[in-house]
Amino acid sequence: MSTAAIPGAPLPVRTPGSRARGRHRRPERPEIPAGSPALLLAVPAAAGPESRSVVEELLSIVRSEQNGVLTAAGYLPTGGTDGRQTGGTEAERTVAELLTEAAEAGLPTPVVVPLVPGPHGFLDELHTLAAEYGAQVTDTLGPHPLLAEAVHVRLSEAGLARADRARLFAIATAADGVVLTTVGGQPAADAAGITGMLLAARLAVPVVAAALDIPGSVAEAVAHLKEMGAQNPALAPLVIGPEADAELLAAAAEESGCPSAAPLGAYQAVGQLVASTYLAALPAVDPDFGAEEAEDTDGTGPRGAGRHAAQ
């Protein structure tokens, strides 16, 4: 759950990072102010091998991106539970358990970062739960240029897009239209439209968004692309993983007859977004510090282009 933990403590302790030395060292990332609240990553799923794997890897990225940040993951399963069940292991704690333990220990109330790229059904429950403890819930991770980057990379890994626009080699299976699939109903699909425009600019092909949890939404999006002239449309999940039922992703690909990229998972840019979203909630820290250092995967500009402002 953290780089170091005291047995029995509700949240991990801070492990200071070492400062780079030398005349040409890269600029230091901002230090987390002493006494800052922990980052509590709220996962919209029950703890399981697949969700834990993604979450633990993302928290590892967060800690590597930002020295000294306190991290913890809390699960909030949807579908009738309030997330207050007990008895889980240290890696299976719920949001309610971690907030309760922080309050009982007199620790600063954690900043809660929802692990979703946009609107999702679990957010109402999360806000209600957090309000009981006076905890701040940040904005979702998207829309953001880094999400478009992540989707682009997953498409290229599946052989459905060029990895780099500067390279003019052809891919026989490259998609000439993309359906950006989401979960969270029409609000999620609407919000995904912004990331879709960013993705379209990267791929130079039309991109439309559809909700996996709305029957017929993906099929309609595929038909729309074909009406626009696309002959080889593909699906690109704008989901991190834990928030989406794997059966929905598989069914969408099968019913549409289109190849699909993988969910975003623990892609580096997703971890960066989690860290920057948390930093934006700390008034003494500039979340864009050092963003100019990161290069985009296609070499066309800053990886962190565009401030992700919490609403």
Side-chain angles (χ1 to χ4, degrees):
M1 191 170 68
S2 70
T3 52
I6 298 175
L11 287 172
V13 298
R14 177 177 290 109
T15 302
S18 58
R19 185 177 179 85
R21 299 180 180 277
R23 176 187 299 179
H24 302 294
R25 67 178 183 269
R26 295 171 66 182
E28 292 292 325
R29 296 185 183 276
E31 292 294 332
I32 300 296
S36 292
L39 186 165
L40 175 52
L41 192 63
V43 186
E50 293 185 3
S51 60
R52 283 200 304 270
S53 175
V54 171
V55 169
E56 290 170 3
E57 201 167 339
L58 285 174
L59 290 183
S60 177
I61 294 171
V62 170
R63 292 190 292 269
S64 68
E65 285 289 313
Q66 184 58 59
N67 290 330
V69 65
L70 307 179
T71 63
Y75 293 83
L76 187 64
T78 57
T81 176
D82 65 358
R84 298 178 188 276
Q85 66 271 22
T86 59
T89 67
E90 190 69 14
E92 299 174 341
R93 310 307 296 277
T94 65
V95 173
E97 287 174 336
L98 290 169
L99 290 175
T100 298
E101 292 180 4
E104 291 176 347
L107 298 174
T109 305
V111 172
V112 181
V113 180
L115 187 60
V116 286
H120 190 278
F122 99 120
L123 290 173
D124 288 342
E125 182 180 357
L126 179 63
H127 278 275
T128 299
L129 179 60
E132 296 180 19
Y133 297 87
Q136 176 183 0
V137 179
T138 70
D139 192 12
T140 58
L141 302 181
H144 196 280
L146 287 180
L147 290 179
E149 172 195 314
V151 175
H152 184 175
V153 169
R154 293 299 185 233
L155 282 166
S156 68
E157 289 172 347
L160 299 172
R162 292 195 303 269
D164 191 335
R165 285 176 295 174
R167 301 173 187 170
L168 300 181
F169 62 85
I171 298 178
T173 57
D176 55 4
V178 172
V179 177
L180 199 60
T181 57
T182 67
V183 291
Q186 194 58 45
D190 292 341
I194 299 175
T195 300
M197 288 189 292
L198 297 170
L199 181 64
R202 297 175 67 96
L203 302 177
V205 301
V207 176
V208 295
L212 290 162
D213 45 357
I214 296 180
S217 179
V218 174
E220 290 177 7
V222 170
H224 179 62
L225 286 174
K226 290 183 176 180
E227 290 174 359
M228 297 173 64
Q231 297 180 344
N232 300 301
L235 310 185
L238 182 60
V239 298
I240 297 167
E243 79 276 26
D245 187 338
E247 293 182 2
L248 280 178
L249 294 168
E254 181 177 356
E255 292 171 4
S256 66
C258 298
S260 178
L264 305 184
Y267 181 63
Q268 181 76 19
V270 177
Q272 291 174 340
L273 275 177
V274 171
S276 65
T277 301
Y278 165 78
L279 289 175
L282 302 180
V285 179
D286 179 1
D288 286 342
F289 182 88
E292 68 278 1
E293 303 171 37
E295 292 296 327
D296 203 354
T297 54
D298 63 3
T300 59
R303 188 171 193 169
R307 176 185 294 268
H308 179 72
Q311 294 180 352

